[in-house]
Amino acid sequence: MSKQAPRLALAASSIAVAIATPAAAQDVAISSERLANLEEPLATEVGPITVEFSGLIDARVDYDFEEGMNDLDDDDAVNPGIIGNFEFNASTQLGNRWNVGVAYFGQYERDELIGGEYTDRVAGFIQGSYGTALGGEVMDIVREETRRVRGTGNADLAFDDALGAAKGWGGGYVGQFGPSRLSAIVDEDGNYDLGIVYERPSGRAGYRYALRFTDAQYLAPDGLTEFETNALMGTFEYLYSRSVYNVGGGVESLEAGPVLAKRWFVSGGWQRQWGAFTTSLEGHYGQIEGQEEKSAAFGLDYAFARGMSFNLGVNHSDAQVVVDGITILDEKETTATSSLRFGF
Protein backbone atom coordinates (compact mmCIF):
# COMPACT_ATOMS: atom_id res chain seq x y z
CA MET A 1 0.00 0.00 0.00
CA SER A 2 1.42 3.35 -1.03
CA LYS A 3 2.29 5.92 1.63
CA GLN A 4 2.82 8.70 -0.93
CA ALA A 5 0.48 11.56 -1.72
CA PRO A 6 -1.58 11.18 -4.91
CA ARG A 7 0.45 11.99 -8.04
CA LEU A 8 -0.65 14.32 -10.82
CA ALA A 9 -0.81 11.61 -13.45
CA LEU A 10 -1.81 7.96 -13.38
CA ALA A 11 -0.24 5.23 -15.46
CA ALA A 12 -2.74 4.12 -18.09
CA SER A 13 -3.68 0.69 -19.41
CA SER A 14 -5.46 -0.13 -22.65
CA ILE A 15 -7.33 -3.45 -22.67
CA ALA A 16 -9.53 -4.75 -25.49
CA VAL A 17 -12.15 -7.42 -24.75
CA ALA A 18 -13.54 -9.26 -27.80
CA ILE A 19 -16.54 -10.96 -26.22
CA ALA A 20 -20.08 -10.48 -27.49
CA THR A 21 -21.95 -10.79 -24.20
CA PRO A 22 -21.82 -7.51 -22.21
CA ALA A 23 -20.69 -7.54 -18.60
CA ALA A 24 -22.75 -6.25 -15.72
CA ALA A 25 -21.52 -3.15 -13.90
CA GLN A 26 -19.28 -3.99 -10.97
CA ASP A 27 -19.00 -2.68 -7.43
CA VAL A 28 -15.68 -0.91 -6.91
CA ALA A 29 -13.63 -1.84 -3.81
CA ILE A 30 -9.90 -1.07 -3.68
CA SER A 31 -9.10 -2.48 -0.23
CA SER A 32 -7.03 -5.66 -0.14
CA GLU A 33 -6.64 -5.62 3.64
CA ARG A 34 -7.32 -8.82 5.56
CA LEU A 35 -9.64 -6.85 7.89
CA ALA A 36 -12.45 -6.33 5.39
CA ASN A 37 -15.85 -5.01 6.43
CA LEU A 38 -18.71 -7.44 5.80
CA GLU A 39 -21.45 -4.92 6.57
CA GLU A 40 -23.36 -3.10 3.83
CA PRO A 41 -21.94 0.43 3.40
CA LEU A 42 -23.86 3.52 4.48
CA ALA A 43 -25.19 5.28 1.40
CA THR A 44 -26.80 8.62 0.62
CA GLU A 45 -27.56 10.88 -2.34
CA VAL A 46 -25.90 14.29 -2.57
CA GLY A 47 -27.53 15.84 -5.63
CA PRO A 48 -26.62 13.60 -8.60
CA ILE A 49 -23.82 11.88 -6.65
CA THR A 50 -24.20 8.61 -4.74
CA VAL A 51 -21.91 8.48 -1.71
CA GLU A 52 -21.06 5.21 0.10
CA PHE A 53 -19.05 4.88 3.30
CA SER A 54 -18.01 1.92 5.44
CA GLY A 55 -15.59 1.53 8.34
CA LEU A 56 -14.12 -0.91 10.82
CA ILE A 57 -12.43 -0.76 14.23
CA ASP A 58 -10.45 -3.72 15.56
CA ALA A 59 -8.95 -3.74 19.09
CA ARG A 60 -6.47 -6.60 19.35
CA VAL A 61 -3.78 -8.39 21.33
CA ASP A 62 -1.00 -10.33 19.61
CA TYR A 63 1.04 -13.01 21.35
CA ASP A 64 4.34 -14.20 19.86
CA PHE A 65 5.13 -17.75 21.02
CA GLU A 66 8.78 -17.50 19.92
CA GLU A 67 9.30 -14.41 22.09
CA GLY A 68 7.33 -15.99 24.91
CA MET A 69 9.68 -18.96 25.04
CA ASN A 70 12.69 -16.64 25.35
CA ASP A 71 11.17 -14.02 27.67
CA LEU A 72 10.22 -15.25 31.14
CA ASP A 73 7.96 -12.29 31.96
CA ASP A 74 6.36 -12.18 28.45
CA ASP A 75 6.91 -8.39 28.17
CA ASP A 76 8.07 -8.61 24.55
CA ALA A 77 5.67 -11.41 23.59
CA VAL A 78 2.41 -9.50 24.20
CA ASN A 79 1.63 -6.66 21.80
CA PRO A 80 -1.72 -4.82 22.17
CA GLY A 81 -2.88 -2.61 19.31
CA ILE A 82 -5.74 -1.14 17.37
CA ILE A 83 -6.59 -0.96 13.67
CA GLY A 84 -9.18 1.34 12.13
CA ASN A 85 -9.98 1.64 8.44
CA PHE A 86 -12.63 3.13 6.19
CA GLU A 87 -13.60 3.17 2.52
CA PHE A 88 -15.28 6.04 0.70
CA ASN A 89 -16.89 5.78 -2.73
CA ALA A 90 -18.56 8.62 -4.68
CA SER A 91 -20.06 8.07 -8.13
CA THR A 92 -22.55 9.51 -10.59
CA GLN A 93 -24.17 8.37 -13.83
CA LEU A 94 -23.53 10.22 -17.09
CA GLY A 95 -26.03 10.71 -19.87
CA ASN A 96 -24.59 7.72 -21.76
CA ARG A 97 -25.28 5.51 -18.69
CA TRP A 98 -21.64 5.24 -17.70
CA ASN A 99 -20.92 5.50 -13.98
CA VAL A 100 -17.85 7.55 -13.09
CA GLY A 101 -16.43 8.00 -9.63
CA VAL A 102 -13.60 7.84 -7.16
CA ALA A 103 -12.79 5.42 -4.33
CA TYR A 104 -10.55 6.12 -1.31
CA PHE A 105 -9.36 3.67 1.35
CA GLY A 106 -7.48 4.67 4.52
CA GLN A 107 -6.18 2.65 7.46
CA TYR A 108 -4.55 3.62 10.75
CA GLU A 109 -2.68 0.98 12.74
CA ARG A 110 -1.01 1.38 16.11
CA ASP A 111 0.77 -1.06 18.40
CA GLU A 112 3.83 -1.17 20.64
CA LEU A 113 6.10 -2.48 17.87
CA ILE A 114 5.43 -0.09 14.97
CA GLY A 115 3.90 2.83 16.85
CA GLY A 116 1.27 4.63 14.75
CA GLU A 117 1.09 4.35 10.96
CA TYR A 118 -1.46 5.62 8.43
CA THR A 119 -1.61 4.18 4.91
CA ASP A 120 -4.05 4.85 2.09
CA ARG A 121 -4.87 4.29 -1.56
CA VAL A 122 -7.04 6.05 -4.12
CA ALA A 123 -8.51 5.16 -7.52
CA GLY A 124 -10.83 6.59 -10.14
CA PHE A 125 -13.13 4.44 -12.27
CA ILE A 126 -15.43 4.37 -15.29
CA GLN A 127 -18.10 1.70 -15.20
CA GLY A 128 -20.34 0.50 -18.02
CA SER A 129 -22.09 -2.54 -19.43
CA TYR A 130 -18.77 -4.03 -20.55
CA GLY A 131 -17.10 -3.77 -17.15
CA THR A 132 -15.04 -1.32 -15.13
CA ALA A 133 -11.82 0.49 -16.06
CA LEU A 134 -9.78 1.82 -13.11
CA GLY A 135 -6.73 4.01 -12.61
CA GLY A 136 -4.75 4.63 -9.43
CA GLU A 137 -3.49 2.34 -6.68
CA VAL A 138 -5.27 -0.76 -7.96
CA MET A 139 -2.41 -3.29 -7.93
CA ASP A 140 -4.16 -5.94 -5.79
CA ILE A 141 -7.36 -6.24 -7.85
CA VAL A 142 -6.41 -9.40 -9.78
CA ARG A 143 -5.07 -11.07 -6.64
CA GLU A 144 -8.32 -10.40 -4.78
CA GLU A 145 -10.42 -11.60 -7.73
CA THR A 146 -8.63 -14.95 -8.11
CA ARG A 147 -7.40 -15.92 -4.62
CA ARG A 148 -8.82 -18.62 -2.39
CA VAL A 149 -11.41 -17.34 0.08
CA ARG A 150 -9.64 -15.82 3.10
CA GLY A 151 -9.53 -17.62 6.41
CA THR A 152 -11.94 -16.28 9.00
CA GLY A 153 -11.25 -14.37 12.21
CA ASN A 154 -7.58 -13.43 12.48
CA ALA A 155 -6.24 -16.28 10.35
CA ASP A 156 -3.45 -15.14 8.02
CA LEU A 157 -1.75 -17.85 5.94
CA ALA A 158 1.84 -16.90 5.04
CA PHE A 159 3.44 -17.47 1.59
CA ASP A 160 0.03 -18.10 -0.03
CA ASP A 161 0.76 -16.05 -3.16
CA ALA A 162 3.42 -15.29 -5.72
CA LEU A 163 6.43 -13.56 -4.17
CA GLY A 164 6.55 -11.01 -6.99
CA ALA A 165 3.85 -8.32 -7.08
CA ALA A 166 3.01 -5.24 -9.12
CA LYS A 167 3.25 -2.03 -7.09
CA GLY A 168 2.64 1.69 -7.20
CA TRP A 169 0.21 3.33 -9.60
CA GLY A 170 -1.35 1.90 -12.72
CA GLY A 171 -4.54 0.95 -14.52
CA GLY A 172 -6.84 -2.02 -14.55
CA TYR A 173 -10.02 -3.64 -15.83
CA VAL A 174 -12.65 -5.94 -14.33
CA GLY A 175 -15.58 -7.38 -16.31
CA GLN A 176 -18.27 -10.01 -15.84
CA PHE A 177 -19.27 -12.06 -18.91
CA GLY A 178 -21.85 -14.67 -17.97
CA PRO A 179 -20.25 -17.07 -15.48
CA SER A 180 -16.74 -15.77 -16.33
CA ARG A 181 -15.02 -12.78 -14.78
CA LEU A 182 -11.92 -11.19 -16.29
CA SER A 183 -9.42 -8.92 -14.55
CA ALA A 184 -6.16 -7.27 -15.55
CA ILE A 185 -3.77 -4.59 -14.28
CA VAL A 186 -0.52 -2.99 -15.42
CA ASP A 187 1.61 -0.76 -13.18
CA GLU A 188 3.78 2.27 -13.92
CA ASP A 189 6.88 0.06 -14.38
CA GLY A 190 5.23 -2.24 -16.92
CA ASN A 191 4.57 -5.13 -14.50
CA TYR A 192 1.22 -6.80 -15.13
CA ASP A 193 -1.29 -9.23 -13.64
CA LEU A 194 -3.98 -11.18 -15.55
CA GLY A 195 -6.80 -13.30 -14.14
CA ILE A 196 -9.93 -15.21 -15.13
CA VAL A 197 -12.55 -16.75 -12.85
CA TYR A 198 -15.33 -19.17 -13.85
CA GLU A 199 -18.02 -19.68 -11.23
CA ARG A 200 -21.48 -21.26 -11.29
CA PRO A 201 -23.67 -23.63 -9.24
CA SER A 202 -24.30 -27.25 -10.16
CA GLY A 203 -27.03 -29.07 -8.29
CA ARG A 204 -26.76 -28.20 -4.61
CA ALA A 205 -23.11 -27.19 -4.77
CA GLY A 206 -21.17 -24.26 -6.14
CA TYR A 207 -17.91 -24.48 -8.06
CA ARG A 208 -15.29 -21.78 -8.67
CA TYR A 209 -12.20 -22.04 -10.86
CA ALA A 210 -9.55 -19.32 -11.20
CA LEU A 211 -6.34 -18.89 -13.19
CA ARG A 212 -3.81 -16.07 -12.83
CA PHE A 213 -0.51 -15.04 -14.41
CA THR A 214 1.72 -12.31 -13.02
CA ASP A 215 4.92 -10.71 -14.29
CA ALA A 216 6.44 -8.56 -11.54
CA GLN A 217 9.35 -8.00 -9.13
CA TYR A 218 10.27 -9.25 -5.67
CA LEU A 219 12.57 -7.41 -3.25
CA ALA A 220 14.61 -9.84 -1.13
CA PRO A 221 14.79 -9.50 2.69
CA ASP A 222 18.20 -7.79 2.38
CA GLY A 223 16.41 -4.78 0.89
CA LEU A 224 18.88 -4.63 -2.03
CA THR A 225 18.43 -7.64 -4.32
CA GLU A 226 15.46 -7.40 -6.67
CA PHE A 227 14.25 -10.47 -8.52
CA GLU A 228 12.36 -10.46 -11.81
CA THR A 229 9.51 -12.95 -11.37
CA ASN A 230 6.93 -14.82 -13.45
CA ALA A 231 4.21 -16.88 -11.77
CA LEU A 232 1.29 -19.02 -12.92
CA MET A 233 -1.32 -19.89 -10.28
CA GLY A 234 -4.64 -21.73 -10.15
CA THR A 235 -7.46 -22.08 -7.62
CA PHE A 236 -10.40 -24.48 -7.19
CA GLU A 237 -13.20 -23.90 -4.70
CA TYR A 238 -16.17 -26.10 -3.74
CA LEU A 239 -19.10 -24.68 -1.77
CA TYR A 240 -21.73 -26.90 -0.19
CA SER A 241 -24.23 -25.95 2.52
CA ARG A 242 -22.27 -23.92 5.09
CA SER A 243 -18.85 -25.27 4.13
CA VAL A 244 -16.19 -24.07 1.71
CA TYR A 245 -13.32 -26.29 0.55
CA ASN A 246 -10.53 -24.92 -1.62
CA VAL A 247 -7.09 -25.64 -2.97
CA GLY A 248 -4.62 -23.52 -4.87
CA GLY A 249 -1.11 -23.78 -6.18
CA GLY A 250 1.42 -22.32 -8.51
CA VAL A 251 4.90 -22.21 -10.00
CA GLU A 252 7.18 -19.19 -10.00
CA SER A 253 10.52 -18.27 -11.54
CA LEU A 254 12.78 -15.74 -9.77
CA GLU A 255 15.82 -14.24 -11.54
CA ALA A 256 18.39 -11.67 -10.35
CA GLY A 257 21.49 -11.46 -12.54
CA PRO A 258 23.09 -14.92 -12.65
CA VAL A 259 20.83 -16.23 -9.87
CA LEU A 260 17.83 -18.26 -11.04
CA ALA A 261 15.48 -19.93 -8.56
CA LYS A 262 12.44 -22.11 -9.28
CA ARG A 263 9.55 -22.19 -6.81
CA TRP A 264 6.40 -24.30 -6.52
CA PHE A 265 3.71 -24.27 -3.83
CA VAL A 266 0.29 -25.59 -2.91
CA SER A 267 -2.23 -24.31 -0.34
CA GLY A 268 -5.55 -25.64 0.88
CA GLY A 269 -8.30 -24.66 3.26
CA TRP A 270 -11.65 -25.47 4.83
CA GLN A 271 -14.18 -23.06 6.29
CA ARG A 272 -17.55 -23.70 7.93
CA GLN A 273 -20.27 -21.69 9.65
CA TRP A 274 -21.78 -23.11 12.86
CA GLY A 275 -24.63 -20.78 13.75
CA ALA A 276 -22.99 -17.58 15.04
CA PHE A 277 -19.52 -19.19 14.83
CA THR A 278 -17.34 -19.51 11.73
CA THR A 279 -14.10 -21.49 11.75
CA SER A 280 -11.34 -22.03 9.20
CA LEU A 281 -8.26 -24.20 8.87
CA GLU A 282 -5.54 -23.70 6.21
CA GLY A 283 -2.17 -25.10 5.29
CA HIS A 284 0.64 -24.33 2.82
CA TYR A 285 3.71 -26.17 1.56
CA GLY A 286 6.22 -25.21 -1.10
CA GLN A 287 9.83 -25.43 -2.16
CA ILE A 288 12.40 -23.06 -3.67
CA GLU A 289 15.29 -25.00 -5.18
CA GLY A 290 14.53 -27.90 -2.82
CA GLN A 291 14.30 -25.71 0.32
CA GLU A 292 11.00 -25.81 2.16
CA GLU A 293 8.44 -23.13 2.99
CA LYS A 294 5.62 -24.12 5.38
CA SER A 295 2.72 -22.33 7.03
CA ALA A 296 -0.60 -23.04 8.76
CA ALA A 297 -3.47 -20.92 10.07
CA PHE A 298 -6.54 -21.44 12.24
CA GLY A 299 -9.28 -18.82 12.50
CA LEU A 300 -12.47 -18.32 14.51
CA ASP A 301 -15.14 -15.63 14.27
CA TYR A 302 -18.06 -15.28 16.70
CA ALA A 303 -20.66 -12.72 15.59
CA PHE A 304 -22.60 -11.73 18.71
CA ALA A 305 -24.31 -8.53 17.47
CA ARG A 306 -24.85 -6.67 14.21
CA GLY A 307 -21.43 -5.50 13.08
CA MET A 308 -19.70 -6.79 16.25
CA SER A 309 -17.63 -9.94 16.54
CA PHE A 310 -14.92 -11.67 18.56
CA ASN A 311 -12.05 -12.97 16.43
CA LEU A 312 -9.18 -15.37 17.02
CA GLY A 313 -6.29 -16.49 14.85
CA VAL A 314 -3.30 -18.80 15.36
CA ASN A 315 -0.71 -18.52 12.57
CA HIS A 316 2.55 -20.39 11.99
CA SER A 317 5.20 -19.80 9.29
CA ASP A 318 8.63 -21.32 8.71
CA ALA A 319 10.94 -20.66 5.74
CA GLN A 320 14.67 -19.99 5.59
CA VAL A 321 15.62 -20.09 1.90
CA VAL A 322 19.08 -19.08 0.63
CA VAL A 323 20.09 -19.49 -3.03
CA ASP A 324 23.66 -18.69 -4.16
CA GLY A 325 24.22 -16.65 -1.01
CA ILE A 326 21.05 -14.56 -1.44
CA THR A 327 18.29 -14.89 1.15
CA ILE A 328 14.91 -15.22 -0.56
CA LEU A 329 12.78 -16.03 2.50
CA ASP A 330 13.65 -15.63 6.18
CA GLU A 331 10.69 -16.09 8.48
CA LYS A 332 9.89 -18.30 11.45
CA GLU A 333 7.15 -17.39 13.91
CA THR A 334 4.03 -18.64 15.64
CA THR A 335 1.52 -16.04 16.81
CA ALA A 336 -1.97 -15.88 18.30
CA THR A 337 -4.19 -12.84 17.81
CA SER A 338 -7.51 -12.15 19.55
CA SER A 339 -9.60 -9.07 18.84
CA LEU A 340 -12.94 -7.37 19.29
CA ARG A 341 -14.16 -5.95 15.96
CA PHE A 342 -16.93 -3.51 15.02
CA GLY A 343 -17.88 -2.78 11.43
CA PHE A 344 -20.25 -0.07 10.22
Side-chain angles (χ1 to χ4, degrees), residues 129-146:
S129 59
Y130 284 91
T132 303
L134 307 100
E137 295 168 289
V138 296
M139 294 303 99
D140 294 324
I141 284 180
V142 178
R143 160 65 169 160
E144 294 303 310
E145 289 283 333
T146 57

Side-chain angles (χ1 to χ4, degrees), residues 152-153 240-245 270-281 298-304 310:
T152 193
Y240 182 80
S241 184
R242 297 186 176 186
S243 295
V244 179
Y245 305 88
W270 164 81
Q271 187 171 140
R272 180 174 175 81
Q273 184 177 359
W274 318 77
F277 288 90
T278 304
T279 57
S280 66
L281 187 62
F298 167 78
L300 180 145
D301 171 11
Y302 173 58
F304 58 86
F310 171 78

Side-chain angles (χ1 to χ4, degrees), residues 284-306:
H284 171 97
Y285 181 82
Q287 289 187 3
I288 302 176
E289 294 297 316
Q291 301 176 61
E292 295 181 326
E293 56 181 61
K294 298 175 286 186
S295 64
F298 167 78
L300 180 145
D301 171 11
Y302 173 58
F304 58 86
R306 179 175 176 81

Side-chain angles (χ1 to χ4, degrees), residues 102 171 192 213 219 224 233 236 244 259 296:
V102 62
Y192 61 90
F213 178 81
L219 185 63
L224 300 173
M233 293 156 285
F236 169 72
V244 179
V259 179

